[in-house]
Amino acid sequence: MTDDVAVLGAGMHPWGKWGRSFVHYGTVAARAALADAGIAWSQIRSVIGANSVRCGYPGYVAGATFAQALGWQGARVTSVYAACASGAQAVDAARTQILAGMADVVLVVGADSAPKGFFAPAGGDRPDDPDWLRFRVLGATNPAYFGLYARRRIAVHGDTPEDFALVKVKNASAGALNPNARYRKAVSAEEVAASPVVADPLRLLDICATSDGAAALVLSSMDFARRNGAADPVRIRAVSTVTPTYPRTVLDLPDIATDSATAVEPSPDSFRASIAAAAYEEAGIGPEDLSLAEVYDLSTALELEWYEDIGLCGAGEGAKLVREGATALGGRVPVNVSGGLASFGEAVPAQAIAQICELTWQLRGTAGQRQVPGARTGITANQGLFGHGSAVVAVR
């Protein structure tokens, strides 16, 4: 178990399609986090930027870009890329610097200006790149993969499109209460069922959009927090960035085939389950200790999978939880009370950071109408292409 680091500040730029540079969004979020922390920009000794990229290929120097936009003041900079796990990797880099004594207060920023439509690889021929191959060989967009995964849940666990729709209804209800969400309108199951089919059995309202947006955190050592008047801050207790274990027997983006299991027995746990398990082990807690969770709902069906992967229920029982209301506001363990990607859309480098912002506000008790009463412990969970794990445990 490692030492905690304090979350002194959290800030976001509202998500949507604003037509501005990712630098603008990130700077707004950074200044909001600094103001929330009561920390001057000149006090920041390190900036960790989650790279803004286009589908697998870093093209922007995010750490230095944000440091320049805020005004050069000598802080060290780091730029991190791990696809949708970039934010968690950035937080882990910040935590490492703090615990190593390299910096006592660090700014973490992730921001993106997303393209219209679904994500696709950058141009050029790269036959050694599995993300390029799945588009070139199969024509398999992200929604196509989401549809296949939903079909698998229907075949293996008996889930139904009506179960998937309940996830959207739940998340839209929470997102309607979140001023930073892009979509702030409650929807009914009937509206989900009436939306156009995108990748059967998933409909338009089952799948998250791509968005512009940003999120930022100010992290510090516990000593720095106490010296600056934060006697009981939200604390990050664990960050999991694990990779898959060979062999993998279930398809997972961006791969288009599984490993052979003829010579080696597959792990009893999935890659996603291993991400959460590593976070729990490091934090010294279990799923029974959770007050809430923020998970990576690229599609409604994938959110049900995360319920199982973070240990809220057994395999195949995710749909039962959403039917019972256990993961809604007021339920046993609310999930995605921010509204999730269903309400925000994907701004890739910011996603994992935004999840921690929501945990921070919830654990402080300042989340307004979407507040989980008495929240003390939360977990985030997502993953990035190419085997990047992402889970963070925050406590109060």
Side-chain angles (χ1 to χ4, degrees):
M1 186 182 300
T2 62
D3 294 330
D4 295 345
V5 298
V7 183
L8 295 187
M12 294 181 69
H13 183 291
W15 292 27
K17 286 286 190 180
W18 308 115
R20 302 289 295 274
S21 162
F22 83 96
V23 182
H24 169 78
Y25 306 137
T27 302
V28 169
R31 287 177 176 149
L34 290 166
D36 185 48
I39 296 295
W41 162 236
S42 59
Q43 293 177 268
I44 295 295
R45 302 320 310 144
S46 180
V47 180
I48 315 290
N51 281 10
S52 180
V53 307
R54 287 295 168 264
C55 308
Y57 295 88
Y60 302 93
V61 185
T65 302
F66 294 130
Q68 182 181 31
L70 291 164
W72 295 125
Q73 44 87 317
R76 69 170 66 236
V77 295
T78 305
S79 297
V80 174
Y81 175 66
C84 293
S86 295
Q89 295 267 2
V91 168
D92 199 30
R95 182 180 67 149
T96 299
Q97 291 184 6
I98 291 166
L99 295 179
M102 297 168 66
D104 53 8
V105 59
V106 179
L107 175 66
V108 179
V109 190
D112 205 4
S113 300
K116 292 182 179 179
F118 53 76
F119 291 113
D125 291 340
R126 294 177 304 280
D128 56 348
D129 168 22
D131 196 34
W132 180 88
L133 283 171
R134 67 167 169 119
F135 278 86
R136 182 61 64 92
V137 176
L138 295 183
T141 64
N142 287 12
Y145 169 77
F146 305 154
L148 289 171
Y149 217 96
R151 276 286 165 208
R152 185 178 188 276
R153 286 199 64 87
I154 289 171
V156 175
H157 301 308
D159 291 1
T160 68
E162 291 73 25
D163 294 326
F164 303 151
L166 290 177
V167 176
K168 174 65 177 184
V169 171
K170 171 186 73 71
N171 289 350
S173 177
L177 305 175
N178 193 333
N180 288 310
R182 175 178 178 181
Y183 301 105
R184 299 187 60 197
K185 180 180 179 295
V187 301
S188 66
E190 292 74 21
E191 288 175 296
V192 178
S195 64
V197 173
V198 173
D200 188 57
L202 298 180
R203 296 178 174 271
L204 183 64
L205 294 184
D206 284 302
I207 295 171
C208 75
T210 62
S211 290
D212 298 353
L217 297 164
V218 176
L219 307 180
S220 80
S221 67
M222 293 303 296
D223 285 344
F224 182 93
R226 284 188 285 267
R227 291 197 308 270
N228 284 268
D232 183 28
V234 172
R235 304 181 303 281
I236 290 178
R237 182 151 290 173
V239 183
S240 168
T241 58
V242 298
T243 54
T245 300
Y246 175 87
R248 301 174 70 187
T249 57
V250 177
L251 283 175
D252 204 359
L253 281 179
D255 298 305
I256 58 176
T258 59
D259 300 327
S260 171
T262 57
V264 180
E265 281 294 314
S267 168
D269 297 319
S270 69
F271 170 43
R272 293 190 185 95
S274 74
I275 298 170
Y280 289 139
E281 181 178 4
E282 184 179 318
I285 67 164
E288 67 279 1
D289 299 308
L290 294 177
S291 305
L292 74 158
E294 288 286 311
V295 305
Y296 189 47
D297 59 315
L298 289 166
S299 79
T300 51
L302 285 170
E303 178 167 322
L304 298 182
E305 192 82 19
W306 278 113
Y307 297 169
E308 300 157 21
D309 292 332
I310 67 173
L312 299 185
C313 60
E317 297 175 354
K320 181 173 182 287
L321 284 193
V322 78
R323 287 186 217 121
E324 296 172 346
T327 57
L329 277 167
R332 175 169 62 87
V333 184
V335 177
N336 284 344
V337 291
S338 66
L341 295 181
S343 299
F344 278 77
E346 285 198 272
V348 171
Q351 288 160 200
I353 301 170
Q355 289 180 322
I356 302 168
C357 288
E358 182 65 25
L359 291 193
T360 298
W361 295 320
Q362 290 286 344
L363 299 182
R364 286 177 179 174
T366 60
Q369 296 180 70
R370 65 184 191 280
Q371 180 65 49
V372 175
R376 303 294 295 178
T377 304
I379 192 170
T380 71
N382 69 36
Q383 68 180 107
L385 289 182
F386 316 109
H388 289 115
S390 167
V392 176
V393 172
V395 300
R396 182 75 183 273

